[in-house]
Amino acid sequence: MNFRCASIPALLFVVAAQLPAAEHAIRPGDSPQAVLDRAAPGDRLVFLPGVHQHGLAKHRAMLYVDKSIEIELREGATLKLAPGTTKLEADGEITTDQDAGKKLDDLQVGGRFDTTRPAVDGPEAYGATIYSIVTDSVGADGQPDTFAWGDGKIFDTPHKGVLITGDWQDLSHGVKIRFGSRTGHSLRSVWFVSYDGPEAYGIRIGHGRQKDYIENVRIVGKGTIDLNASHNAQPSGLVKDINACVLIHGRVRRVLVEGITMTDTMRSVMCYGEHTGEFLPGGKTGPGESFDAEDITIQRTRTLNPRGAAYLLGHPSHRGQLRNVKCNGNYMETGLTALEPNFNLDGYEVIGNVIKSDGQAIHCWRHSRNGVIADNLRVGDNTGKPVVVVNAPRGWQNPEPPVQRNNRNHLGEKQP
């Protein structure tokens, strides 16, 4: 009788497949990134009670996840961004696609912003300084167009009727701008220029353009992720990359975020795809590769964020697809919009959430489709604000109306 022996690699694979997943305890002071890097796919990381205070590691996150893993934050465990990790930067970032109807998109920014000036606070600013620039007249018979600008509240432009010269023009605090053309702009074209801090994340899954899918990641427990926005410079709310306690980005699928509390941040959870093509007005893209995210569940979490927002599902500056997202049974207290089904989102549930917000509760903003928004309760508002708003900026495709049922503003409803 002849016997054939299995190869050594095959035997090793069988043995490895039978080994139970390992559990790795992370104590305050340990490097969570070093522990995760040593862990095998399928292992479990446990943050033990205490304050786990860290700066940023890979891809601007306290913990970057690139494999199948379960992460538990035990009750009493807080993953916290160290104070002073992010600082105000002197280079400006232009946000241009607020108005997709521009004939010309030719603004450049230069100079060197004075970072010692007092920060401007307010919605969308987060302590950053935002310049609002708006074309306020269109020249006739070859005369130059003019613009208005301001560096205080967003859309507040007290300096009006400034002729466009085509050269560098001084604004304030060391900032200069230049238009590529003196004429030919649309009336009321809008640009914002932000001077702010860089982005930071608590736990990040994917960096946007990873070749292979990262899948089967669980972030669970009764602990807390604290982005410590009170003691770090923040990005403005208008730039491409903003802060979140959890970011799910690019080819990522089958993710669960459950039970944890998220606080002192710009957003609690953000998820979106990525695209390599040129970004065209109104959300379109040129030829390129799409890195999509899918099958994301966010449930029974708490967002305690009186100066910021909560969940962002899809993003117009990251134009891959996002599919099959459930954001159900969560509690949130926010100063700004709590929950945003946003761009390139296809198939979502927003069910059974309790929302206390000084801004919008649920805002379907830009194109999304195949959504169900049901049984959500808005609390703490007696002014009659709606629970759900559905619209888009000028030049963008509106969301497909979601299925809505039994969404209530508890105090805002008329009593019999």
Side-chain angles (χ1 to χ4, degrees), residues 47-85:
F47 285 84
L48 299 179
V51 177
H52 299 254
Q53 184 167 281
H54 298 283
L56 300 176
K58 295 179 180 179
H59 300 291
R60 302 203 57 78
M62 286 187 280
L63 180 60
Y64 176 71
V65 177
D66 61 357
K67 66 187 74 171
S68 172
I69 208 83
E70 179 169 332
I71 300 166
E72 180 188 359
L73 290 120
R74 291 266 171 90
E75 186 172 7
T78 298
L79 178 60
K80 184 172 185 176
L81 186 65
T85 299

Side-chain angles (χ1 to χ4, degrees), residues 16 19-22 24 36-44 66-70 215-216:
L19 291 175
H24 307 268
L36 185 139
D37 290 346
R38 293 194 300 267
D43 282 359
R44 189 164 182 263
D66 61 357
K67 66 187 74 171
S68 172
I69 208 83
E70 179 169 332
E215 53 192 5
N216 301 321

Side-chain angles (χ1 to χ4, degrees), residues 63-328:
L63 180 60
Y64 176 71
V65 177
D66 61 357
K67 66 187 74 171
S68 172
I69 208 83
E70 179 169 332
I71 300 166
E72 180 188 359
L73 290 120
R74 291 266 171 90
E75 186 172 7
T78 298
L79 178 60
K80 184 172 185 176
L81 186 65
T85 299
T86 57
K87 301 182 184 299
L88 190 63
E89 296 179 327
D91 297 321
E93 180 175 344
I94 300 174
T95 304
T96 182
D97 207 4
Q98 294 292 319
D99 174 2
K102 291 184 177 74
K103 292 180 183 176
L104 289 177
D105 189 3
D106 60 345
L107 183 74
Q108 296 175 279
V109 62
R112 191 77 174 167
F113 177 71
D114 179 7
T115 58
T116 65
R117 75 177 300 264
V120 176
D121 207 355
E124 304 295 349
Y126 293 96
T129 294
I130 300 174
Y131 286 78
S132 301
I133 301 164
V134 183
T135 51
D136 60 353
S137 76
V138 177
D141 300 324
Q143 295 300 307
D145 303 335
T146 68
F147 69 95
W149 67 275
D151 60 0
K153 294 181 180 179
I154 295 172
F155 287 111
D156 186 11
T157 54
H159 308 278
K160 301 186 183 300
V162 183
L163 290 174
I164 295 177
T165 67
D167 296 322
W168 287 107
Q169 297 179 253
D170 293 321
L171 298 187
S172 63
H173 312 295
V175 174
K176 302 174 184 289
I177 62 168
R178 180 169 65 187
F179 289 91
S181 177
R182 298 172 68 233
T183 61
H185 300 90
S186 304
L187 184 64
R188 306 299 301 171
S189 290
V190 180
W191 294 264
F192 299 109
V193 181
S194 298
Y195 292 90
D196 54 9
E199 70 276 12
Y201 308 104
I203 298 176
R204 177 174 186 167
I205 309 167
H207 59 74
R209 296 184 181 181
Q210 60 273 8
K211 178 181 177 182
D212 299 317
Y213 269 95
I214 302 166
E215 53 192 5
N216 301 321
V217 176
R218 294 165 53 90
I219 303 171
V220 301
K222 296 183 178 180
T224 299
I225 302 176
D226 181 351
L227 258 286
N228 202 9
S230 303
H231 298 95
N232 282 281
Q234 303 297 295
S236 90
L238 299 176
V239 297
K240 177 180 178 181
D241 294 312
I242 62 174
N243 294 356
C245 292
V246 176
L247 173 63
I248 300 160
H249 190 189
R251 283 185 178 146
V252 178
R253 62 189 172 197
R254 294 193 291 276
V255 173
L256 173 67
V257 182
E258 182 176 45
I260 62 173
T261 296
M262 293 163 282
T263 190
D264 205 9
T265 182
M266 297 182 74
R267 299 270 184 175
S268 47
V269 180
M270 302 191 300
C271 41
Y272 36 77
E274 192 55 83
H275 201 286
T276 61
E278 179 186 2
F279 287 8
L280 304 174
K284 298 180 176 62
T285 56
E289 185 176 3
S290 188
F291 296 77
D292 303 336
E294 56 194 349
D295 301 330
I296 314 298
T297 299
I298 307 160
Q299 63 188 20
R300 293 189 287 278
T301 66
R302 291 197 310 163
T303 295
L304 305 178
N305 203 25
R307 294 183 65 243
Y311 311 98
L312 177 65
L313 315 177
H315 196 302
S317 293
H318 299 275
R319 296 187 182 179
Q321 302 294 316
L322 176 64
R323 303 184 185 92
N324 302 329
V325 180
K326 297 179 180 180
C327 191
N328 299 338

